[in-house]
Amino acid sequence: MAADMPHVRVLVLSMADDDDSVFAARAPLGGAEPVRPWRPRGTILVTGGTGGVGAQVARRLAETGAEHLLLLSRRGDRAPGAAELAGELAALGAGVTMVACDVTDRTVLADLIAAVPRERPLTAVVHAVGVVQSTTIEETGLADFAELVRGKVLGAEALDELLGDRPLDAFVLFSSNSGVWGSGRHSAYAAANAHLDALAERRRAAGRTATSVAWGAWGGGGMLTGEGVEDWMRRRGVLEMPGELALNAMVQAVEHDETFVAVADVDWARFVDGFTSGRPSPLISRLPDVRLLLQRPAEEPTAATAGRFAHASPAELLDLVRAEAAAVLGHADPAGVGQARPFKELGFDSLTAVELRNRLRAATGLQLPASMVFDYPTPLALAGYLRAELAPEDAGDGLAGLDRLEAELDRVAGDPDLRARTALRLQSMLSRLSGAAEESGAGLATATAEDMFALIDREFGASQ
């Protein structure tokens, strides 16, 4: 946002004039003066106030003038580090009240708000409740989903309802980039944060103050403290932000009267490959960094790689795919990668799909698309694709045709009705081919590839 924040990328979502599409754009301040200064005063309520990020917020508020901090969390003054935090805040001159409560309980919240002393009135709210999720949508039941969203969503709704039209210096909602561009293992978390962004817009429409900040990765005690989380985020291009810079961004967003901003430190070279592996993304395509990356020329294969698998057999290519897939997933034995098991079931996501693409590109010298794992969703189908690319002159032989058929069957596997109809058609075809072969005194096993594909062409049409 400002010149003193060199590592933090601040984005806003904009509406294109030509096609009504939503896209991300940089939001530099460009020397603009604040709309109004925010000097913390009176009592400020912070939810998630004893957590890693909430504690950082509390310290900043105390440093800059807050007279009293009402810190709400699940464990209150029994939270780890709560006593030390209270001592730090007191040393900075702020009174502190730590309360263990469920922020979704309107009755409790109403009582706490009513108890704020008149001489130190409630002037601002920072809703910094955090929740950790690392499951896919398929692994998240309805009850789990509801539990994951309740603290953020119902807590924010309760605060909005109870405070109503009360004049406030700030009503800050801590949202997340997962609600902006999504995350495969943050489905419920993403939905909850998108709701906060919408709530900020709703409050503004009603003439109330609100600022929702969709954060990237906070350092110094945020959700990156979970085992392996920081590495997982870094591999995807989302880097740790120093807490001091993030706090500066929060204050600036309030002072410049923002309704919504996204603040993150992003390594676009890593992020773009994974984010666009399954499909292009108009959302980020207008960012200058992304545009340059998407326009970069493809690397030419070296002589060493170009011919290594030029004459590989289908079995060798299947072994290659399974070995590289196992390496990406961290499996010691490629046998754990079933040849007909979908990559998605094996645990592949957008990032690991790109890693597999890169490994196979290095091995074969082929210019492979990042979407290949989604286009050819099993090791067997992908090996067939590699063979066709390496030896296009053999594309018309029986095995290449079966590879193509295998890939097509994988495409319909997710549709139960289409899968059932396809199975019936194939059974009917095989039955007729078997009958014809028996009439000629031969068994089905003696049918040639040409016989099979002639029958497939008659049933499905040569254009299929």
Side-chain angles (χ1 to χ4, degrees):
M1 244 182 187
D4 62 344
M5 299 173 60
H7 302 296
V8 176
R9 308 289 188 252
V10 181
L11 312 175
V12 296
L13 294 186
S14 302
M15 190 74 74
D17 295 330
D18 51 354
D19 57 3
D20 290 336
S21 62
V22 176
F23 62 93
R26 288 280 175 79
L29 290 177
E33 292 296 323
V35 175
R36 53 186 171 81
W38 181 26
R39 299 291 180 264
R41 60 190 178 89
T43 296
I44 300 180
L45 186 156
V46 182
T47 67
T50 59
V53 169
Q56 292 186 58
V57 171
R59 292 187 190 97
R60 169 60 69 90
L61 295 172
E63 289 169 354
T64 52
E67 301 163 56
H68 179 233
L69 293 167
L70 177 55
L71 306 183
L72 311 184
S73 64
R74 284 182 298 239
R75 301 179 64 182
D77 59 5
R78 292 180 288 108
E84 293 81 356
L85 175 62
E88 290 181 53
L89 299 176
L92 291 168
V96 184
T97 301
M98 294 181 175
V99 180
C101 73
D102 181 350
V103 296
T104 69
D105 189 324
R106 280 172 165 76
T107 301
V108 171
L109 276 181
D111 290 343
L112 289 170
I113 292 171
V116 173
R118 290 186 178 181
E119 64 273 17
R120 293 180 301 188
L122 183 66
T123 63
V125 169
V126 180
H127 184 48
V129 166
V131 62
V132 178
Q133 182 190 8
S134 60
T135 54
T136 64
I137 188 65
E138 294 88 353
E139 298 167 340
T140 307
L142 186 59
D144 297 326
F145 196 100
E147 184 60 28
L148 285 164
V149 305
R150 67 185 300 272
K152 272 187 170 286
V153 171
L154 297 183
E157 290 286 351
L159 289 167
D160 175 48
E161 178 184 307
L162 292 169
L163 293 171
D165 292 323
R166 177 185 299 212
L168 293 171
D169 296 339
F171 186 97
V172 183
L173 300 167
F174 271 32
S175 176
S176 166
N177 284 176
S178 65
V180 178
W181 46 55
S183 175
R185 291 187 171 272
H186 291 167
S187 52
Y189 185 63
N193 286 293
H195 185 96
L196 296 194
D197 302 335
L199 175 57
E201 297 286 353
R202 191 180 77 201
R203 280 184 60 87
R204 287 289 183 149
R208 302 168 180 169
T209 185
T211 298
S212 186
V213 185
W215 297 109
W218 274 62
M223 293 184 184
L224 291 183
T225 56
E227 184 177 355
V229 175
E230 183 179 352
D231 179 64
W232 189 88
M233 295 288 282
R234 185 184 297 110
R235 290 175 64 202
R236 283 154 178 79
V238 181
L239 308 180
E240 177 180 335
M241 293 184 297
E244 191 68 19
L245 290 180
L247 290 165
N248 290 346
M250 176 191 73
V251 173
Q252 290 173 2
V254 172
E255 292 190 331
H256 287 265
D257 209 26
E258 300 280 8
T259 302
F260 167 80
V261 291
V263 182
D265 191 0
V266 180
D267 180 342
W268 292 109
R270 296 184 192 177
F271 186 85
V272 168
D273 275 347
F275 194 67
T276 62
S277 62
R279 70 283 184 265
S281 173
L283 177 66
I284 62 172
S285 62
R286 301 193 186 195
L287 293 171
D289 313 63
V290 175
R291 189 176 298 160
L292 288 174
L293 288 166
L294 294 176
Q295 292 172 350
R296 62 189 168 184
E299 296 178 4
E300 292 297 326
T302 64
T305 60
R308 183 179 172 191
F309 285 93
H311 303 290
S313 68
E316 290 172 324
L317 290 172
L318 179 58
D319 288 344
L320 170 67
V321 171
R322 295 176 70 188
E324 298 297 352
V328 168
L329 295 174
H331 298 334
D333 187 356
V337 179
Q339 63 180 19
R341 191 175 178 189
F343 287 112
K344 191 172 182 180
E345 288 185 10
L346 290 166
F348 273 83
D349 57 16
S350 58
L351 179 67
T352 46
V354 171
E355 291 179 359
L356 179 58
R357 186 278 306 270
N358 292 343
R359 294 178 74 98
L360 291 176
R361 183 165 60 181
T364 64
L366 293 171
Q367 293 300 336
L368 303 171
S371 62
M372 67 178 195
V373 164
F374 307 103
D375 297 335
Y376 304 92
T378 67
L380 192 62
L382 182 52
Y385 165 70
L386 293 179
R387 186 169 186 270
E389 291 295 303
L390 288 164
E393 66 278 4
D394 296 332
D397 70 17
L399 185 54
L402 284 173
D403 289 337
R404 292 196 304 275
L405 178 59
E406 176 83 23
E408 290 302 317
L409 293 177
D410 285 332
R411 291 175 193 270
V412 307
D415 186 328
D417 293 336
L418 185 55
R419 186 172 67 240
R421 293 200 304 271
T422 302
L424 288 173
R425 289 281 294 277
L426 287 173
Q427 289 170 358
S428 174
M429 292 160 56
L430 289 172
S431 177
R432 292 192 347 241
L433 183 61
S434 177
E438 289 172 358
E439 288 179 5
S440 64
L444 180 60
T446 64
T448 66
E450 288 73 16
D451 294 331
M452 291 291 292
F453 285 102
L455 184 57
I456 290 171
D457 284 341
R458 288 198 300 273
E459 288 291 326
F460 290 104
S463 64
Q464 302 295 313

